[in-house]
Amino acid sequence: NLAGDNGFSGFVVLDRARPTLTDNHAEENGDDGFLFKQTSRATVARNRATANTWAGFRWVEQASGTAEANIAAGNSDGFWIADQADPTLIGNTSHGHHTAAGNGSGLVYSGTAGGAARHNEIYDNDWGIAIGADATPSLADNDVHDNTSNQVTDVAFN
């Protein structure tokens, strides 16, 4: 499926939904390419999110699930995990996220977000991985390189 040039997000998963999203492309949407909300739990594999105004892939509230072998390129941020969301990210690629303010990140954890990120490649962003003060992700074996600012940094989100 292709979701492009929508005013909001390309793909939105809500409530207690448990879908599998495979080989989809979200491009040039007004907000996120893929948005997971509430207590949804999606399996997301081999999808692409390019040139979306906000994040390529965003988990908010208490959303979770697994994201494997996805590509986020040229969004404001690649993968954004917020609130109490806690997905597992494995083997994804996140690159080319730049903003005028210089804070486009390959991977962001804000709020009290958790989950795990393993074996992801994060490069050519303003920031590599940004972690808010109260976030508790488990990071292991990620390849974070060639980002403009800090590779992995703690930041305060409002």
Side-chain angles (χ1 to χ4, degrees):
N1 298 298
L2 171 63
D5 199 29
N6 293 292
F8 184 54
S9 297
F11 296 89
V12 180
V13 179
L14 302 171
D15 299 323
R16 294 177 308 276
R18 303 290 188 258
T20 298
L21 289 80
T22 306
D23 296 318
N24 299 292
H25 187 187
E27 66 180 4
E28 298 180 359
N29 292 293
D31 288 343
D32 304 301
F34 295 82
L35 175 61
F36 309 96
K37 294 182 73 171
Q38 294 146 340
T39 60
S40 65
R41 182 180 190 87
T43 300
V44 185
R46 299 185 317 270
N47 297 286
R48 290 177 296 140
T50 56
N52 295 287
T53 302
W54 291 0
F57 298 84
R58 184 190 306 249
W59 288 262
V60 298
E61 299 169 6
Q62 296 174 331
S64 63
T66 302
E68 189 166 359
N70 298 287
I71 298 172
N75 307 287
S76 290
D77 297 291
F79 294 82
W80 187 297
I81 296 92
D83 306 319
Q84 298 172 338
D86 64 348
T88 298
L89 310 179
I90 304 167
N92 299 289
T93 301
S94 185
H95 65 90
H97 308 293
H98 300 282
T99 66
N103 60 358
S105 299
L107 175 57
V108 178
Y109 288 93
S110 66
T112 58
R118 300 186 301 271
H119 304 290
N120 299 289
E121 184 176 19
I122 301 166
Y123 66 95
D124 183 31
N125 304 293
D126 293 328
W127 293 353
I129 300 175
I131 304 169
D134 296 320
T136 59
S138 173
L139 307 176
D141 300 317
N142 295 293
D143 185 5
V144 183
H145 62 91
D146 298 316
N147 296 289
T148 304
S149 294
N150 297 324
Q151 303 300 306
V152 178
T153 185
D154 288 334
V155 295
F157 293 101
N158 295 333

mmCIF file of all heavy atoms in Angstrom, residues 45-63:
data_model
loop_
_atom_site.group_PDB
_atom_site.id
_atom_site.type_symbol
_atom_site.label_atom_id
_atom_site.label_comp_id
_atom_site.label_asym_id
_atom_site.label_seq_id
_atom_site.Cartn_x
_atom_site.Cartn_y
_atom_site.Cartn_z
ATOM 1 N N ALA A 45 6.870 -4.529 9.538
ATOM 2 C CA ALA A 45 8.077 -5.079 8.915
ATOM 3 C C ALA A 45 8.227 -4.616 7.465
ATOM 4 O O ALA A 45 7.254 -4.599 6.707
ATOM 5 C CB ALA A 45 8.055 -6.601 8.963
ATOM 6 N N ARG A 46 9.428 -4.246 7.120
ATOM 7 C CA ARG A 46 9.826 -3.903 5.750
ATOM 8 C C ARG A 46 8.997 -2.770 5.152
ATOM 9 O O ARG A 46 8.708 -2.763 3.955
ATOM 10 C CB ARG A 46 9.797 -5.131 4.837
ATOM 11 C CG ARG A 46 10.736 -6.223 5.265
ATOM 12 C CD ARG A 46 10.789 -7.384 4.275
ATOM 13 N NE ARG A 46 9.513 -7.814 3.756
ATOM 14 C CZ ARG A 46 8.729 -8.754 4.299
ATOM 15 N NH1 ARG A 46 9.115 -9.360 5.406
ATOM 16 N NH2 ARG A 46 7.574 -9.085 3.735
ATOM 17 N N ASN A 47 8.644 -1.785 5.974
ATOM 18 C CA ASN A 47 7.921 -0.613 5.501
ATOM 19 C C ASN A 47 8.897 0.542 5.305
ATOM 20 O O ASN A 47 9.991 0.544 5.879
ATOM 21 C CB ASN A 47 6.857 -0.210 6.530
ATOM 22 C CG ASN A 47 5.828 -1.296 6.708
ATOM 23 O OD1 ASN A 47 4.991 -1.507 5.852
ATOM 24 N ND2 ASN A 47 5.896 -2.008 7.824
ATOM 25 N N ARG A 48 8.480 1.527 4.520
ATOM 26 C CA ARG A 48 9.291 2.721 4.297
ATOM 27 C C ARG A 48 8.469 3.962 4.626
ATOM 28 O O ARG A 48 7.287 4.039 4.266
ATOM 29 C CB ARG A 48 9.741 2.812 2.832
ATOM 30 C CG ARG A 48 10.758 1.764 2.460
ATOM 31 C CD ARG A 48 11.121 1.837 0.981
ATOM 32 N NE ARG A 48 9.938 1.525 0.185
ATOM 33 C CZ ARG A 48 9.593 2.149 -0.943
ATOM 34 N NH1 ARG A 48 10.325 3.118 -1.417
ATOM 35 N NH2 ARG A 48 8.496 1.805 -1.603
ATOM 36 N N ALA A 49 9.111 4.914 5.282
ATOM 37 C CA ALA A 49 8.492 6.205 5.579
ATOM 38 C C ALA A 49 9.463 7.281 5.126
ATOM 39 O O ALA A 49 10.565 7.399 5.671
ATOM 40 C CB ALA A 49 8.195 6.334 7.062
ATOM 41 N N THR A 50 9.065 8.056 4.110
ATOM 42 C CA THR A 50 9.966 9.050 3.544
ATOM 43 C C THR A 50 9.285 10.405 3.413
ATOM 44 O O THR A 50 8.111 10.498 3.043
ATOM 45 C CB THR A 50 10.469 8.614 2.152
ATOM 46 O OG1 THR A 50 9.350 8.367 1.302
ATOM 47 C CG2 THR A 50 11.300 7.346 2.244
ATOM 48 N N ALA A 51 10.033 11.444 3.758
ATOM 49 C CA ALA A 51 9.629 12.834 3.546
ATOM 50 C C ALA A 51 8.296 13.192 4.201
ATOM 51 O O ALA A 51 7.523 13.991 3.664
ATOM 52 C CB ALA A 51 9.594 13.156 2.041
ATOM 53 N N ASN A 52 8.009 12.631 5.371
ATOM 54 C CA ASN A 52 6.834 13.012 6.141
ATOM 55 C C ASN A 52 7.194 14.214 7.014
ATOM 56 O O ASN A 52 8.334 14.350 7.463
ATOM 57 C CB ASN A 52 6.346 11.838 6.986
ATOM 58 C CG ASN A 52 5.867 10.708 6.099
ATOM 59 O OD1 ASN A 52 4.819 10.792 5.489
ATOM 60 N ND2 ASN A 52 6.674 9.645 6.001
ATOM 61 N N THR A 53 6.225 15.079 7.285
ATOM 62 C CA THR A 53 6.500 16.317 8.006
ATOM 63 C C THR A 53 6.985 16.059 9.426
ATOM 64 O O THR A 53 7.874 16.763 9.910
ATOM 65 C CB THR A 53 5.239 17.212 8.034
ATOM 66 O OG1 THR A 53 4.849 17.468 6.682
ATOM 67 C CG2 THR A 53 5.507 18.523 8.746
ATOM 68 N N TRP A 54 6.447 15.067 10.110
ATOM 69 C CA TRP A 54 6.884 14.746 11.463
ATOM 70 C C TRP A 54 7.719 13.482 11.431
ATOM 71 O O TRP A 54 8.692 13.401 10.717
ATOM 72 C CB TRP A 54 5.699 14.627 12.410
ATOM 73 C CG TRP A 54 4.998 15.935 12.684
ATOM 74 C CD1 TRP A 54 5.308 17.168 12.187
ATOM 75 C CD2 TRP A 54 3.868 16.118 13.510
ATOM 76 N NE1 TRP A 54 4.440 18.112 12.645
ATOM 77 C CE2 TRP A 54 3.539 17.507 13.466
ATOM 78 C CE3 TRP A 54 3.095 15.281 14.278
ATOM 79 C CZ2 TRP A 54 2.479 18.048 14.185
ATOM 80 C CZ3 TRP A 54 2.031 15.830 14.987
ATOM 81 C CH2 TRP A 54 1.742 17.196 14.949
ATOM 82 N N ALA A 55 7.345 12.482 12.161
ATOM 83 C CA ALA A 55 8.148 11.259 12.236
ATOM 84 C C ALA A 55 7.770 10.277 11.136
ATOM 85 O O ALA A 55 6.633 10.241 10.673
ATOM 86 C CB ALA A 55 7.957 10.587 13.596
ATOM 87 N N GLY A 56 8.727 9.461 10.782
ATOM 88 C CA GLY A 56 8.422 8.363 9.882
ATOM 89 C C GLY A 56 7.535 7.343 10.570
ATOM 90 O O GLY A 56 6.513 6.911 10.029
ATOM 91 N N PHE A 57 7.915 6.968 11.808
ATOM 92 C CA PHE A 57 7.183 5.991 12.624
ATOM 93 C C PHE A 57 7.062 6.589 14.017
ATOM 94 O O PHE A 57 8.068 6.952 14.629
ATOM 95 C CB PHE A 57 7.947 4.669 12.710
ATOM 96 C CG PHE A 57 8.137 3.993 11.374
ATOM 97 C CD1 PHE A 57 9.195 4.347 10.543
ATOM 98 C CD2 PHE A 57 7.276 2.987 10.955
ATOM 99 C CE1 PHE A 57 9.380 3.726 9.313
ATOM 100 C CE2 PHE A 57 7.456 2.360 9.731
ATOM 101 C CZ PHE A 57 8.510 2.731 8.904
ATOM 102 N N ARG A 58 5.831 6.680 14.565
ATOM 103 C CA ARG A 58 5.647 7.253 15.909
ATOM 104 C C ARG A 58 4.716 6.373 16.741
ATOM 105 O O ARG A 58 3.628 6.007 16.300
ATOM 106 C CB ARG A 58 5.051 8.649 15.815
ATOM 107 C CG ARG A 58 4.936 9.308 17.201
ATOM 108 C CD ARG A 58 4.129 10.590 17.165
ATOM 109 N NE ARG A 58 4.595 11.541 16.204
ATOM 110 C CZ ARG A 58 5.178 12.703 16.529
ATOM 111 N NH1 ARG A 58 5.348 13.037 17.785
ATOM 112 N NH2 ARG A 58 5.542 13.535 15.572
ATOM 113 N N TRP A 59 5.160 6.047 17.952
ATOM 114 C CA TRP A 59 4.349 5.323 18.939
ATOM 115 C C TRP A 59 4.061 6.291 20.071
ATOM 116 O O TRP A 59 4.989 6.903 20.619
ATOM 117 C CB TRP A 59 5.103 4.116 19.493
ATOM 118 C CG TRP A 59 5.252 2.985 18.547
ATOM 119 C CD1 TRP A 59 4.487 1.859 18.480
ATOM 120 C CD2 TRP A 59 6.246 2.838 17.514
ATOM 121 N NE1 TRP A 59 4.935 1.027 17.478
ATOM 122 C CE2 TRP A 59 6.013 1.611 16.869
ATOM 123 C CE3 TRP A 59 7.312 3.627 17.055
ATOM 124 C CZ2 TRP A 59 6.796 1.144 15.814
ATOM 125 C CZ3 TRP A 59 8.087 3.177 16.006
ATOM 126 C CH2 TRP A 59 7.820 1.953 15.394
ATOM 127 N N VAL A 60 2.780 6.442 20.449
ATOM 128 C CA VAL A 60 2.393 7.349 21.533
ATOM 129 C C VAL A 60 1.436 6.640 22.492
ATOM 130 O O VAL A 60 0.951 5.547 22.210
ATOM 131 C CB VAL A 60 1.739 8.640 20.991
ATOM 132 C CG1 VAL A 60 2.713 9.421 20.127
ATOM 133 C CG2 VAL A 60 0.464 8.341 20.230
ATOM 134 N N GLU A 61 1.196 7.313 23.602
ATOM 135 C CA GLU A 61 0.331 6.803 24.658
ATOM 136 C C GLU A 61 0.897 5.468 25.152
ATOM 137 O O GLU A 61 2.015 5.450 25.639
ATOM 138 C CB GLU A 61 -1.121 6.752 24.185
ATOM 139 C CG GLU A 61 -1.632 8.142 23.822
ATOM 140 C CD GLU A 61 -2.945 8.179 23.104
ATOM 141 O OE1 GLU A 61 -3.592 7.126 22.949
ATOM 142 O OE2 GLU A 61 -3.355 9.279 22.672
ATOM 143 N N GLN A 62 0.175 4.354 25.035
ATOM 144 C CA GLN A 62 0.679 3.067 25.525
ATOM 145 C C GLN A 62 0.847 2.062 24.389
ATOM 146 O O GLN A 62 0.797 0.855 24.599
ATOM 147 C CB GLN A 62 -0.258 2.510 26.586
ATOM 148 C CG GLN A 62 -0.315 3.383 27.819
ATOM 149 C CD GLN A 62 -1.358 2.898 28.810
ATOM 150 O OE1 GLN A 62 -2.371 2.303 28.462
ATOM 151 N NE2 GLN A 62 -1.090 3.170 30.081
ATOM 152 N N ALA A 63 1.077 2.557 23.195
ATOM 153 C CA ALA A 63 1.249 1.679 22.031
ATOM 154 C C ALA A 63 2.539 0.872 22.151
ATOM 155 O O ALA A 63 3.508 1.309 22.761
ATOM 156 C CB ALA A 63 1.270 2.504 20.749
#
